[in-house]
PDB file of all heavy atoms in Angstrom:
ATOM      1  N   VAL A  10      98.725  75.884  89.950  1.00 90.00           N
ATOM      2  CA  VAL A  10      97.364  75.673  89.492  1.00 90.00           C
ATOM      3  C   VAL A  10      96.716  74.550  90.273  1.00 90.00           C
ATOM      4  O   VAL A  10      95.576  74.629  90.714  1.00 90.00           O
ATOM      5  CB  VAL A  10      97.310  75.379  87.972  1.00 90.00           C
ATOM      6  CG1 VAL A  10      95.901  74.931  87.579  1.00 90.00           C
ATOM      7  CG2 VAL A  10      97.707  76.630  87.205  1.00 90.00           C
ATOM      8  N   GLU A  11      97.476  73.455  90.499  1.00 93.00           N
ATOM      9  CA  GLU A  11      96.927  72.316  91.301  1.00 93.00           C
ATOM     10  C   GLU A  11      96.579  72.761  92.717  1.00 93.00           C
ATOM     11  O   GLU A  11      95.500  72.379  93.192  1.00 93.00           O
ATOM     12  CB  GLU A  11      98.015  71.208  91.319  1.00 93.00           C
ATOM     13  CG  GLU A  11      97.539  69.958  91.947  1.00 93.00           C
ATOM     14  CD  GLU A  11      98.595  68.847  91.845  1.00 93.00           C
ATOM     15  OE1 GLU A  11      99.336  68.803  90.877  1.00 93.00           O
ATOM     16  OE2 GLU A  11      98.629  68.037  92.792  1.00 93.00           O
ATOM     17  N   VAL A  12      97.445  73.539  93.363  1.00 93.00           N
ATOM     18  CA  VAL A  12      97.196  74.031  94.689  1.00 93.00           C
ATOM     19  C   VAL A  12      95.937  74.881  94.717  1.00 93.00           C
ATOM     20  O   VAL A  12      95.083  74.712  95.575  1.00 93.00           O
ATOM     21  CB  VAL A  12      98.403  74.779  95.249  1.00 93.00           C
ATOM     22  CG1 VAL A  12      98.019  75.533  96.558  1.00 93.00           C
ATOM     23  CG2 VAL A  12      99.510  73.803  95.488  1.00 93.00           C
ATOM     24  N   TYR A  13      95.834  75.851  93.759  1.00 92.00           N
ATOM     25  CA  TYR A  13      94.736  76.742  93.775  1.00 92.00           C
ATOM     26  C   TYR A  13      93.439  76.064  93.421  1.00 92.00           C
ATOM     27  O   TYR A  13      92.400  76.398  93.894  1.00 92.00           O
ATOM     28  CB  TYR A  13      95.003  77.923  92.804  1.00 92.00           C
ATOM     29  CG  TYR A  13      96.142  78.804  93.206  1.00 92.00           C
ATOM     30  CD1 TYR A  13      96.783  79.624  92.273  1.00 92.00           C
ATOM     31  CD2 TYR A  13      96.652  78.823  94.480  1.00 92.00           C
ATOM     32  CE1 TYR A  13      97.865  80.458  92.622  1.00 92.00           C
ATOM     33  CE2 TYR A  13      97.720  79.578  94.889  1.00 92.00           C
ATOM     34  CZ  TYR A  13      98.325  80.431  93.915  1.00 92.00           C
ATOM     35  OH  TYR A  13      99.354  81.218  94.288  1.00 92.00           O
ATOM     36  N   GLU A  14      93.524  75.040  92.542  1.00 94.00           N
ATOM     37  CA  GLU A  14      92.333  74.203  92.234  1.00 94.00           C
ATOM     38  C   GLU A  14      91.795  73.550  93.493  1.00 94.00           C
ATOM     39  O   GLU A  14      90.605  73.518  93.754  1.00 94.00           O
ATOM     40  CB  GLU A  14      92.619  73.147  91.153  1.00 94.00           C
ATOM     41  CG  GLU A  14      92.766  73.686  89.746  1.00 94.00           C
ATOM     42  CD  GLU A  14      91.467  73.957  89.036  1.00 94.00           C
ATOM     43  OE1 GLU A  14      90.368  73.725  89.646  1.00 94.00           O
ATOM     44  OE2 GLU A  14      91.516  74.474  87.960  1.00 94.00           O
ATOM     45  N   LYS A  15      92.731  73.016  94.290  1.00 94.00           N
ATOM     46  CA  LYS A  15      92.354  72.331  95.551  1.00 94.00           C
ATOM     47  C   LYS A  15      91.708  73.364  96.521  1.00 94.00           C
ATOM     48  O   LYS A  15      90.682  73.095  97.101  1.00 94.00           O
ATOM     49  CB  LYS A  15      93.580  71.730  96.175  1.00 94.00           C
ATOM     50  CG  LYS A  15      93.286  70.900  97.461  1.00 94.00           C
ATOM     51  CD  LYS A  15      94.518  70.187  97.942  1.00 94.00           C
ATOM     52  CE  LYS A  15      94.223  69.234  99.030  1.00 94.00           C
ATOM     53  NZ  LYS A  15      94.212  69.791 100.352  1.00 94.00           N
ATOM     54  N   LEU A  16      92.328  74.518  96.658  1.00 92.00           N
ATOM     55  CA  LEU A  16      91.806  75.562  97.499  1.00 92.00           C
ATOM     56  C   LEU A  16      90.400  75.973  97.034  1.00 92.00           C
ATOM     57  O   LEU A  16      89.488  76.185  97.834  1.00 92.00           O
ATOM     58  CB  LEU A  16      92.723  76.768  97.538  1.00 92.00           C
ATOM     59  CG  LEU A  16      94.022  76.589  98.278  1.00 92.00           C
ATOM     60  CD1 LEU A  16      94.933  77.775  98.067  1.00 92.00           C
ATOM     61  CD2 LEU A  16      93.835  76.329  99.764  1.00 92.00           C
ATOM     62  N   TRP A  17      90.237  76.141  95.687  1.00 95.00           N
ATOM     63  CA  TRP A  17      88.915  76.525  95.176  1.00 95.00           C
ATOM     64  C   TRP A  17      87.881  75.485  95.477  1.00 95.00           C
ATOM     65  O   TRP A  17      86.758  75.786  95.898  1.00 95.00           O
ATOM     66  CB  TRP A  17      89.056  76.682  93.610  1.00 95.00           C
ATOM     67  CG  TRP A  17      87.795  77.014  92.949  1.00 95.00           C
ATOM     68  CD1 TRP A  17      87.062  76.219  92.081  1.00 95.00           C
ATOM     69  CD2 TRP A  17      87.029  78.231  92.941  1.00 95.00           C
ATOM     70  NE1 TRP A  17      85.966  76.829  91.641  1.00 95.00           N
ATOM     71  CE2 TRP A  17      85.931  78.085  92.157  1.00 95.00           C
ATOM     72  CE3 TRP A  17      87.207  79.455  93.644  1.00 95.00           C
ATOM     73  CZ2 TRP A  17      84.972  79.130  91.968  1.00 95.00           C
ATOM     74  CZ3 TRP A  17      86.275  80.436  93.447  1.00 95.00           C
ATOM     75  CH2 TRP A  17      85.170  80.266  92.603  1.00 95.00           C
ATOM     76  N   GLY A  18      88.239  74.219  95.375  1.00 93.00           N
ATOM     77  CA  GLY A  18      87.346  73.135  95.708  1.00 93.00           C
ATOM     78  C   GLY A  18      86.938  73.073  97.156  1.00 93.00           C
ATOM     79  O   GLY A  18      85.809  72.691  97.502  1.00 93.00           O
ATOM     80  N   GLU A  19      87.793  73.560  98.018  1.00 91.00           N
ATOM     81  CA  GLU A  19      87.548  73.554  99.478  1.00 91.00           C
ATOM     82  C   GLU A  19      86.943  74.884  99.955  1.00 91.00           C
ATOM     83  O   GLU A  19      86.648  75.027 101.102  1.00 91.00           O
ATOM     84  CB  GLU A  19      88.867  73.304 100.232  1.00 91.00           C
ATOM     85  CG  GLU A  19      89.458  71.924  99.963  1.00 91.00           C
ATOM     86  CD  GLU A  19      90.864  71.757 100.535  1.00 91.00           C
ATOM     87  OE1 GLU A  19      91.423  72.746 101.056  1.00 91.00           O
ATOM     88  OE2 GLU A  19      91.344  70.616 100.481  1.00 91.00           O
ATOM     89  N   SER A  20      86.864  75.855  99.080  1.00 91.00           N
ATOM     90  CA  SER A  20      86.521  77.190  99.462  1.00 91.00           C
ATOM     91  C   SER A  20      85.049  77.458  99.863  1.00 91.00           C
ATOM     92  O   SER A  20      84.734  78.426 100.495  1.00 91.00           O
ATOM     93  CB  SER A  20      86.845  78.188  98.345  1.00 91.00           C
ATOM     94  OG  SER A  20      85.972  77.990  97.223  1.00 91.00           O
ATOM     95  N   GLY A  21      84.180  76.554  99.448  1.00 89.00           N
ATOM     96  CA  GLY A  21      82.776  76.780  99.691  1.00 89.00           C
ATOM     97  C   GLY A  21      82.018  77.479  98.571  1.00 89.00           C
ATOM     98  O   GLY A  21      80.955  77.969  98.710  1.00 89.00           O
ATOM     99  N   GLN A  22      82.705  77.606  97.445  1.00 91.00           N
ATOM    100  CA  GLN A  22      82.105  78.281  96.268  1.00 91.00           C
ATOM    101  C   GLN A  22      80.836  77.548  95.833  1.00 91.00           C
ATOM    102  O   GLN A  22      80.687  76.364  96.018  1.00 91.00           O
ATOM    103  CB  GLN A  22      83.082  78.346  95.148  1.00 91.00           C
ATOM    104  CG  GLN A  22      83.641  77.036  94.620  1.00 91.00           C
ATOM    105  CD  GLN A  22      82.766  76.416  93.559  1.00 91.00           C
ATOM    106  OE1 GLN A  22      81.954  77.044  92.888  1.00 91.00           O
ATOM    107  NE2 GLN A  22      82.929  75.096  93.388  1.00 91.00           N
ATOM    108  N   ALA A  23      79.947  78.324  95.276  1.00 89.00           N
ATOM    109  CA  ALA A  23      78.682  77.784  94.751  1.00 89.00           C
ATOM    110  C   ALA A  23      78.395  78.455  93.451  1.00 89.00           C
ATOM    111  O   ALA A  23      78.559  79.719  93.317  1.00 89.00           O
ATOM    112  CB  ALA A  23      77.550  78.063  95.777  1.00 89.00           C
ATOM    113  N   ASP A  24      77.937  77.718  92.517  1.00 91.00           N
ATOM    114  CA  ASP A  24      77.542  78.245  91.192  1.00 91.00           C
ATOM    115  C   ASP A  24      78.731  79.014  90.529  1.00 91.00           C
ATOM    116  O   ASP A  24      78.470  79.993  89.805  1.00 91.00           O
ATOM    117  CB  ASP A  24      76.312  79.121  91.275  1.00 91.00           C
ATOM    118  CG  ASP A  24      75.078  78.428  91.821  1.00 91.00           C
ATOM    119  OD1 ASP A  24      74.899  77.249  91.479  1.00 91.00           O
ATOM    120  OD2 ASP A  24      74.353  79.003  92.628  1.00 91.00           O
ATOM    121  N   GLY A  25      79.942  78.601  90.780  1.00 92.00           N
ATOM    122  CA  GLY A  25      81.103  79.189  90.125  1.00 92.00           C
ATOM    123  C   GLY A  25      81.567  80.489  90.746  1.00 92.00           C
ATOM    124  O   GLY A  25      82.503  81.154  90.199  1.00 92.00           O
ATOM    125  N   PHE A  26      81.031  80.849  91.908  1.00 96.00           N
ATOM    126  CA  PHE A  26      81.483  82.072  92.607  1.00 96.00           C
ATOM    127  C   PHE A  26      81.721  81.833  94.077  1.00 96.00           C
ATOM    128  O   PHE A  26      81.026  80.962  94.655  1.00 96.00           O
ATOM    129  CB  PHE A  26      80.448  83.167  92.476  1.00 96.00           C
ATOM    130  CG  PHE A  26      80.309  83.702  91.050  1.00 96.00           C
ATOM    131  CD1 PHE A  26      79.344  83.256  90.213  1.00 96.00           C
ATOM    132  CD2 PHE A  26      81.200  84.683  90.567  1.00 96.00           C
ATOM    133  CE1 PHE A  26      79.256  83.715  88.910  1.00 96.00           C
ATOM    134  CE2 PHE A  26      81.117  85.162  89.292  1.00 96.00           C
ATOM    135  CZ  PHE A  26      80.110  84.689  88.473  1.00 96.00           C
ATOM    136  N   LEU A  27      82.651  82.527  94.630  1.00 95.00           N
ATOM    137  CA  LEU A  27      82.887  82.483  96.050  1.00 95.00           C
ATOM    138  C   LEU A  27      82.416  83.750  96.670  1.00 95.00           C
ATOM    139  O   LEU A  27      82.874  84.851  96.311  1.00 95.00           O
ATOM    140  CB  LEU A  27      84.372  82.297  96.347  1.00 95.00           C
ATOM    141  CG  LEU A  27      84.818  82.171  97.781  1.00 95.00           C
ATOM    142  CD1 LEU A  27      84.177  80.999  98.457  1.00 95.00           C
ATOM    143  CD2 LEU A  27      86.324  82.100  97.913  1.00 95.00           C
ATOM    144  N   ALA A  28      81.385  83.676  97.559  1.00 94.00           N
ATOM    145  CA  ALA A  28      80.775  84.875  98.155  1.00 94.00           C
ATOM    146  C   ALA A  28      81.834  85.632  98.903  1.00 94.00           C
ATOM    147  O   ALA A  28      82.806  85.085  99.441  1.00 94.00           O
ATOM    148  CB  ALA A  28      79.633  84.443  99.073  1.00 94.00           C
ATOM    149  N   GLY A  29      81.598  86.959  98.964  1.00 93.00           N
ATOM    150  CA  GLY A  29      82.547  87.836  99.653  1.00 93.00           C
ATOM    151  C   GLY A  29      82.971  87.426 101.060  1.00 93.00           C
ATOM    152  O   GLY A  29      84.163  87.459 101.404  1.00 93.00           O
ATOM    153  N   GLY A  30      81.978  87.037 101.861  1.00 92.00           N
ATOM    154  CA  GLY A  30      82.292  86.555 103.250  1.00 92.00           C
ATOM    155  C   GLY A  30      83.213  85.380 103.298  1.00 92.00           C
ATOM    156  O   GLY A  30      84.133  85.346 104.085  1.00 92.00           O
ATOM    157  N   ALA A  31      82.952  84.434 102.467  1.00 92.00           N
ATOM    158  CA  ALA A  31      83.773  83.228 102.438  1.00 92.00           C
ATOM    159  C   ALA A  31      85.192  83.553 101.876  1.00 92.00           C
ATOM    160  O   ALA A  31      86.152  83.016 102.330  1.00 92.00           O
ATOM    161  CB  ALA A  31      83.091  82.144 101.530  1.00 92.00           C
ATOM    162  N   ALA A  32      85.186  84.433 100.894  1.00 92.00           N
ATOM    163  CA  ALA A  32      86.501  84.864 100.315  1.00 92.00           C
ATOM    164  C   ALA A  32      87.358  85.582 101.376  1.00 92.00           C
ATOM    165  O   ALA A  32      88.523  85.354 101.536  1.00 92.00           O
ATOM    166  CB  ALA A  32      86.282  85.736  99.116  1.00 92.00           C
ATOM    167  N   LEU A  33      86.666  86.477 102.152  1.00 90.00           N
ATOM    168  CA  LEU A  33      87.321  87.170 103.198  1.00 90.00           C
ATOM    169  C   LEU A  33      87.900  86.230 104.228  1.00 90.00           C
ATOM    170  O   LEU A  33      88.994  86.372 104.663  1.00 90.00           O
ATOM    171  CB  LEU A  33      86.378  88.202 103.827  1.00 90.00           C
ATOM    172  CG  LEU A  33      86.954  88.971 105.041  1.00 90.00           C
ATOM    173  CD1 LEU A  33      88.099  89.887 104.577  1.00 90.00           C
ATOM    174  CD2 LEU A  33      85.873  89.825 105.638  1.00 90.00           C
ATOM    175  N   LYS A  34      87.083  85.240 104.605  1.00 90.00           N
ATOM    176  CA  LYS A  34      87.523  84.236 105.575  1.00 90.00           C
ATOM    177  C   LYS A  34      88.819  83.525 105.103  1.00 90.00           C
ATOM    178  O   LYS A  34      89.735  83.343 105.824  1.00 90.00           O
ATOM    179  CB  LYS A  34      86.376  83.233 105.731  1.00 90.00           C
ATOM    180  CG  LYS A  34      86.484  82.369 106.952  1.00 90.00           C
ATOM    181  CD  LYS A  34      85.228  81.512 107.084  1.00 90.00           C
ATOM    182  CE  LYS A  34      85.148  80.756 108.349  1.00 90.00           C
ATOM    183  NZ  LYS A  34      83.924  79.957 108.413  1.00 90.00           N
ATOM    184  N   PHE A  35      88.831  83.186 103.771  1.00 88.00           N
ATOM    185  CA  PHE A  35      90.016  82.580 103.223  1.00 88.00           C
ATOM    186  C   PHE A  35      91.202  83.549 103.223  1.00 88.00           C
ATOM    187  O   PHE A  35      92.297  83.191 103.645  1.00 88.00           O
ATOM    188  CB  PHE A  35      89.725  82.138 101.767  1.00 88.00           C
ATOM    189  CG  PHE A  35      90.926  81.770 100.991  1.00 88.00           C
ATOM    190  CD1 PHE A  35      91.616  80.602 101.230  1.00 88.00           C
ATOM    191  CD2 PHE A  35      91.450  82.662 100.065  1.00 88.00           C
ATOM    192  CE1 PHE A  35      92.764  80.287 100.484  1.00 88.00           C
ATOM    193  CE2 PHE A  35      92.602  82.332  99.345  1.00 88.00           C
ATOM    194  CZ  PHE A  35      93.246  81.155  99.558  1.00 88.00           C
ATOM    195  N   LEU A  36      90.976  84.756 102.764  1.00 90.00           N
ATOM    196  CA  LEU A  36      92.119  85.707 102.632  1.00 90.00           C
ATOM    197  C   LEU A  36      92.699  86.082 104.025  1.00 90.00           C
ATOM    198  O   LEU A  36      93.897  86.239 104.163  1.00 90.00           O
ATOM    199  CB  LEU A  36      91.621  86.986 101.952  1.00 90.00           C
ATOM    200  CG  LEU A  36      91.276  86.805 100.492  1.00 90.00           C
ATOM    201  CD1 LEU A  36      90.626  88.112  99.983  1.00 90.00           C
ATOM    202  CD2 LEU A  36      92.480  86.435  99.634  1.00 90.00           C
ATOM    203  N   VAL A  37      91.852  86.191 105.030  1.00 92.00           N
ATOM    204  CA  VAL A  37      92.357  86.526 106.372  1.00 92.00           C
ATOM    205  C   VAL A  37      93.296  85.484 106.924  1.00 92.00           C
ATOM    206  O   VAL A  37      94.236  85.824 107.662  1.00 92.00           O
ATOM    207  CB  VAL A  37      91.143  86.753 107.317  1.00 92.00           C
ATOM    208  CG1 VAL A  37      91.535  86.776 108.798  1.00 92.00           C
ATOM    209  CG2 VAL A  37      90.430  88.073 106.959  1.00 92.00           C
ATOM    210  N   THR A  38      93.131  84.214 106.543  1.00 91.00           N
ATOM    211  CA  THR A  38      94.022  83.158 107.032  1.00 91.00           C
ATOM    212  C   THR A  38      95.466  83.377 106.569  1.00 91.00           C
ATOM    213  O   THR A  38      96.375  82.803 107.111  1.00 91.00           O
ATOM    214  CB  THR A  38      93.599  81.774 106.580  1.00 91.00           C
ATOM    215  OG1 THR A  38      93.651  81.646 105.132  1.00 91.00           O
ATOM    216  CG2 THR A  38      92.150  81.471 107.041  1.00 91.00           C
ATOM    217  N   SER A  39      95.688  84.287 105.601  1.00 91.00           N
ATOM    218  CA  SER A  39      97.024  84.560 105.097  1.00 91.00           C
ATOM    219  C   SER A  39      97.865  85.299 106.159  1.00 91.00           C
ATOM    220  O   SER A  39      99.084  85.287 106.068  1.00 91.00           O
ATOM    221  CB  SER A  39      96.982  85.378 103.835  1.00 91.00           C
ATOM    222  OG  SER A  39      96.478  86.688 104.118  1.00 91.00           O
ATOM    223  N   GLY A  40      97.188  85.998 107.069  1.00 91.00           N
ATOM    224  CA  GLY A  40      97.900  86.772 108.056  1.00 91.00           C
ATOM    225  C   GLY A  40      98.333  88.155 107.548  1.00 91.00           C
ATOM    226  O   GLY A  40      99.046  88.888 108.225  1.00 91.00           O
ATOM    227  N   LEU A  41      97.929  88.519 106.345  1.00 90.00           N
ATOM    228  CA  LEU A  41      98.307  89.822 105.752  1.00 90.00           C
ATOM    229  C   LEU A  41      97.495  90.916 106.420  1.00 90.00           C
ATOM    230  O   LEU A  41      96.463  90.666 106.967  1.00 90.00           O
ATOM    231  CB  LEU A  41      98.074  89.811 104.254  1.00 90.00           C
ATOM    232  CG  LEU A  41      98.914  88.864 103.452  1.00 90.00           C
ATOM    233  CD1 LEU A  41      98.543  88.925 101.966  1.00 90.00           C
ATOM    234  CD2 LEU A  41     100.440  89.168 103.616  1.00 90.00           C
ATOM    235  N   SER A  42      97.985  92.092 106.287  1.00 90.00           N
ATOM    236  CA  SER A  42      97.338  93.243 106.890  1.00 90.00           C
ATOM    237  C   SER A  42      96.008  93.550 106.189  1.00 90.00           C
ATOM    238  O   SER A  42      95.809  93.153 105.046  1.00 90.00           O
ATOM    239  CB  SER A  42      98.200  94.500 106.805  1.00 90.00           C
ATOM    240  OG  SER A  42      98.269  94.957 105.494  1.00 90.00           O
ATOM    241  N   GLN A  43      95.119  94.189 106.885  1.00 91.00           N
ATOM    242  CA  GLN A  43      93.823  94.603 106.284  1.00 91.00           C
ATOM    243  C   GLN A  43      94.051  95.464 105.046  1.00 91.00           C
ATOM    244  O   GLN A  43      93.317  95.298 104.063  1.00 91.00           O
ATOM    245  CB  GLN A  43      92.969  95.290 107.324  1.00 91.00           C
ATOM    246  CG  GLN A  43      91.569  95.556 106.825  1.00 91.00           C
ATOM    247  CD  GLN A  43      90.681  96.171 107.902  1.00 91.00           C
ATOM    248  OE1 GLN A  43      91.105  96.385 109.046  1.00 91.00           O
ATOM    249  NE2 GLN A  43      89.449  96.385 107.572  1.00 91.00           N
ATOM    250  N   ALA A  44      95.024  96.312 105.087  1.00 91.00           N
ATOM    251  CA  ALA A  44      95.311  97.187 103.933  1.00 91.00           C
ATOM    252  C   ALA A  44      95.727  96.367 102.742  1.00 91.00           C
ATOM    253  O   ALA A  44      95.259  96.620 101.607  1.00 91.00           O
ATOM    254  CB  ALA A  44      96.384  98.204 104.310  1.00 91.00           C
ATOM    255  N   ASP A  45      96.596  95.399 102.966  1.00 89.00           N
ATOM    256  CA  ASP A  45      97.068  94.523 101.846  1.00 89.00           C
ATOM    257  C   ASP A  45      95.889  93.731 101.322  1.00 89.00           C
ATOM    258  O   ASP A  45      95.733  93.568 100.108  1.00 89.00           O
ATOM    259  CB  ASP A  45      98.168  93.592 102.293  1.00 89.00           C
ATOM    260  CG  ASP A  45      99.523  94.343 102.376  1.00 89.00           C
ATOM    261  OD1 ASP A  45      99.609  95.496 101.987  1.00 89.00           O
ATOM    262  OD2 ASP A  45     100.456  93.691 102.855  1.00 89.00           O
ATOM    263  N   LEU A  46      95.067  93.199 102.194  1.00 92.00           N
ATOM    264  CA  LEU A  46      93.934  92.409 101.760  1.00 92.00           C
ATOM    265  C   LEU A  46      92.917  93.259 100.965  1.00 92.00           C
ATOM    266  O   LEU A  46      92.329  92.786  99.982  1.00 92.00           O
ATOM    267  CB  LEU A  46      93.216  91.711 102.921  1.00 92.00           C
ATOM    268  CG  LEU A  46      94.057  90.691 103.654  1.00 92.00           C
ATOM    269  CD1 LEU A  46      93.326  90.099 104.865  1.00 92.00           C
ATOM    270  CD2 LEU A  46      94.440  89.534 102.700  1.00 92.00           C
ATOM    271  N   LYS A  47      92.747  94.495 101.340  1.00 92.00           N
ATOM    272  CA  LYS A  47      91.891  95.428 100.644  1.00 92.00           C
ATOM    273  C   LYS A  47      92.383  95.656  99.181  1.00 92.00           C
ATOM    274  O   LYS A  47      91.656  95.657  98.238  1.00 92.00           O
ATOM    275  CB  LYS A  47      91.740  96.713 101.397  1.00 92.00           C
ATOM    276  CG  LYS A  47      90.789  97.693 100.774  1.00 92.00           C
ATOM    277  CD  LYS A  47      90.613  98.947 101.605  1.00 92.00           C
ATOM    278  CE  LYS A  47      89.608  99.884 100.953  1.00 92.00           C
ATOM    279  NZ  LYS A  47      89.409 101.067 101.760  1.00 92.00           N
ATOM    280  N   THR A  48      93.714  95.824  99.121  1.00 92.00           N
ATOM    281  CA  THR A  48      94.345  96.014  97.805  1.00 92.00           C
ATOM    282  C   THR A  48      94.159  94.779  96.931  1.00 92.00           C
ATOM    283  O   THR A  48      93.804  94.874  95.768  1.00 92.00           O
ATOM    284  CB  THR A  48      95.835  96.391  97.988  1.00 92.00           C
ATOM    285  OG1 THR A  48      95.944  97.596  98.680  1.00 92.00           O
ATOM    286  CG2 THR A  48      96.521  96.478  96.617  1.00 92.00           C
ATOM    287  N   ILE A  49      94.412  93.631  97.515  1.00 93.00           N
ATOM    288  CA  ILE A  49      94.287  92.366  96.830  1.00 93.00           C
ATOM    289  C   ILE A  49      92.851  92.184  96.363  1.00 93.00           C
ATOM    290  O   ILE A  49      92.573  91.775  95.192  1.00 93.00           O
ATOM    291  CB  ILE A  49      94.802  91.212  97.673  1.00 93.00           C
ATOM    292  CG1 ILE A  49      96.321  91.278  97.772  1.00 93.00           C
ATOM    293  CG2 ILE A  49      94.316  89.834  97.105  1.00 93.00           C
ATOM    294  CD1 ILE A  49      96.914  90.340  98.820  1.00 93.00           C
ATOM    295  N   TRP A  50      91.918  92.475  97.203  1.00 94.00           N
ATOM    296  CA  TRP A  50      90.486  92.362  96.811  1.00 94.00           C
ATOM    297  C   TRP A  50      90.194  93.268  95.625  1.00 94.00           C
ATOM    298  O   TRP A  50      89.566  92.881  94.655  1.00 94.00           O
ATOM    299  CB  TRP A  50      89.552  92.704  98.000  1.00 94.00           C
ATOM    300  CG  TRP A  50      88.092  92.492  97.628  1.00 94.00           C
ATOM    301  CD1 TRP A  50      87.255  93.442  97.127  1.00 94.00           C
ATOM    302  CD2 TRP A  50      87.395  91.257  97.643  1.00 94.00           C
ATOM    303  NE1 TRP A  50      86.012  92.876  96.866  1.00 94.00           N
ATOM    304  CE2 TRP A  50      86.104  91.544  97.152  1.00 94.00           C
ATOM    305  CE3 TRP A  50      87.716  89.982  97.978  1.00 94.00           C
ATOM    306  CZ2 TRP A  50      85.123  90.549  97.028  1.00 94.00           C
ATOM    307  CZ3 TRP A  50      86.732  88.985  97.875  1.00 94.00           C
ATOM    308  CH2 TRP A  50      85.427  89.293  97.420  1.00 94.00           C
TER     309      TRP A  50
END
Side-chain angles (χ1 to χ4, degrees):
V10 170
E11 187 176 326
V12 168
Y13 296 160
E14 286 282 357
K15 184 174 189 275
L16 290 171
W17 177 251
E19 296 171 353
S20 69
Q22 60 85 21
D24 300 322
F26 291 96
L27 182 61
L33 178 62
K34 196 174 187 181
F35 166 76
L36 292 172
V37 166
T38 66
S39 69
L41 296 176
S42 72
Q43 186 174 1
D45 283 353
L46 294 177
K47 184 176 181 180
T48 298
I49 288 169
W50 183 267

